[in-house]
Structures are given as C-alpha cells and as structure tokens.
Amino acid sequence: MHGKLETFDDAAQRGVIVGDDGHHYTFTLTEWRGRGLPREGSRLRFDGDAGRAEQVFDAPVPQRTARQTRDDQGQAKSSLLSPWAVLALVLVTIAPLLASYMLLVDALAMLLAVLGIRQVRRSPSRYRGQALCGAAIAIAVLSLFIWGVG
C-alpha cells in the first residue's frame, strides 16, 4: 500500500500513516525500513493489516531529467554548435564562387553535414545543429541539380 506519514513521535518511536485508502495505520520504529528517521508528510510504501503497518519504506520517487547541465562552478552549460554543421554550411555557401570545383565542394559539404548529424545524434546534450546539417544537404543537392541542368 501507499500513504502519507501524518505524525511521528521520536520519543515514543511511533507513527501514524494515512493510507491512500483513507484508513489510518500505526507503526513503530522497528517496522521502519527507510533511510534515516521517518519525516512527517513524506510518501510511504507499506504492508497494512487491521490498522497496523509493517515493512514501512519511503515510497520510490521517479527520477527527474535535467533540463540543463552545469559546470563545476554551477554555471549553466549551453550546448555547442557542431563544427561539422558550421563547416558544411560554409562550404555549401561558397561553392557557387568556386564554379569549376562546385561539384567537389558540394559533395564535401554533404559529407561534412552527415558527420555533423552523426555528432549531434551521438551527443545531443553537448552538440546541436541538426537543422543546419539538413539545410546544408538541401542546398548542396539543389545547387548540384541546378548546376547539372545548367
């Protein structure tokens, strides 16, 4: 069963749990299996029978995910833009200026964009830039199509 610790008397080493079913269950410190002393208001898990609680534990709390990571000084870390993504976007931007090498530069930009996507997927908490990689690939394919037709 689950419930909430209503009261706990340190001197008498007795406590009262209000179960999720609305009934009150008493227990002594000898039935306590949690860490430290029981704290009033905490959620508990226990075996209840005829107003008595046995095998009383702290109720498990689901682990929360971090919204952001922090460094040793407590400053929030921001994720870095993947260098592969930046390089791919730069290459695809300057490719039209290098008309005779445009095919090679666009192919290299697509390769770097794929490496950027791989880097972002392997370390999403550290790197970002998947959209830049997608844009670099789209621009490279479009310019190759235009260059190939023209």
Side-chain angles (χ1 to χ4, degrees), residues 88-89 92 109-111 113-114 117 131-143:
L89 198 59
V92 82
M110 285 192 286
L111 175 67
V114 169
I117 290 172
L132 283 180
C133 293
I137 291 172
I139 293 169
V141 168
L142 185 64
S143 68

Side-chain angles (χ1 to χ4, degrees), residues 31-128:
E31 282 104 14
W32 176 247
R33 303 291 184 261
R35 290 189 280 161
L37 287 175
R39 291 185 319 269
E40 292 180 4
S42 60
R43 296 282 304 159
L44 303 175
R45 182 182 54 156
F46 61 96
D47 295 331
D49 185 36
R52 297 276 310 146
E54 297 175 345
Q55 300 291 323
V56 182
F57 291 91
D58 293 311
V61 177
Q63 184 173 351
R64 296 180 4 205
T65 57
R67 292 186 190 179
Q68 51 184 212
T69 56
R70 298 194 176 269
D71 61 11
D72 297 336
Q73 289 78 31
Q75 299 293 325
K77 287 183 177 179
S78 61
S79 56
L80 303 171
L81 193 57
S82 169
W84 299 115
V86 173
L87 191 55
L89 198 59
V90 168
L91 280 179
V92 82
T93 305
I94 65 168
L97 301 175
L98 307 169
S100 58
Y101 299 104
M102 188 171 176
L103 179 64
L104 180 66
V105 174
D106 279 340
L108 182 61
M110 285 192 286
L111 175 67
L112 293 176
V114 169
L115 289 175
I117 290 172
R118 184 175 177 214
Q119 183 180 40
V120 171
R121 288 191 179 204
R122 283 190 168 189
S123 302
S125 62
R126 187 168 179 205
Y127 292 107
R128 58 187 171 83

Side-chain angles (χ1 to χ4, degrees), residues 1-8 14-28 31-32 38-48 51-58:
M1 299 184 87
H2 287 87
K4 184 176 177 182
L5 182 58
E6 187 173 77
T7 60
F8 184 77
R14 294 190 178 277
V16 176
I17 302 170
V18 176
D20 288 346
D21 59 359
H23 292 93
H24 288 72
Y25 299 89
T26 60
F27 72 99
T28 62
E31 282 104 14
W32 176 247
R39 291 185 319 269
E40 292 180 4
S42 60
R43 296 282 304 159
L44 303 175
R45 182 182 54 156
F46 61 96
D47 295 331
R52 297 276 310 146
E54 297 175 345
Q55 300 291 323
V56 182
F57 291 91
D58 293 311

